[in-house]
């Protein structure tokens, strides 16, 4: 996670808003979390914030990459 933060800082994108994301739902249409796609130079990193922790991120609109990556429940997927 630290490598992604450093890379975004070097690209001056750490304070950009996260625009690309999708809600993860189960077969009963219950939201299980949010999957964010963080663009780097050649690929995207997928960050999952499980429910109900994702709700606090959207209180003031879309979160920044810094807020997203520093969230204590954030998980990077491969």
């Amino acid at each position: 996670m630290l490598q992604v933060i450093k890379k975004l800082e070097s690209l001056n994108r750490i304070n950009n808003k996260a625009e690309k994301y999708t809600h993860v739902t189960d077969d009963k249409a219950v939201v299980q979390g949010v999957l964010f796609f963080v663009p780097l130079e050649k690929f995207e990193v997928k960050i999952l914030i499980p429910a109900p922790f994702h709700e606090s991120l959207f209180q003031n609109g879309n979160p920044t990459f810094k807020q997203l990556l520093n969230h204590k429940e954030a998980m990077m997927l491969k």
Side-chain angles (χ1 to χ4, degrees):
M1 197 75 78
L2 187 58
Q3 292 174 339
V4 175
I5 292 171
K6 286 182 181 181
K7 186 65 173 176
L8 285 171
E9 286 174 345
S10 71
L11 296 171
N12 292 323
R13 290 192 216 158
I14 193 73
N15 292 317
N16 290 1
K17 296 273 185 182
E19 299 290 333
K20 190 173 176 184
Y21 60 88
T22 185
H23 286 80
V24 179
T25 58
D26 62 12
D27 58 341
K28 296 178 179 137
V30 176
V31 176
Q32 298 296 321
V34 178
L35 182 63
F36 290 90
F37 301 92
V38 180
L40 297 178
E41 288 179 323
K42 297 181 182 178
F43 58 92
E44 290 181 327
V45 175
K46 296 170 212 71
I47 305 293
L48 177 68
I49 305 289
F53 306 107
H54 72 282
E55 295 169 358
S56 65
L57 285 175
F58 290 101
Q59 288 179 348
N60 298 323
N62 287 358
T64 64
F65 293 132
K66 186 175 188 175
Q67 290 172 322
L68 177 67
L69 295 169
N70 287 326
H71 194 281
K72 69 177 186 173
E73 298 294 330
M75 293 180 271
M76 185 165 49
L77 305 178
K78 293 198 177 208

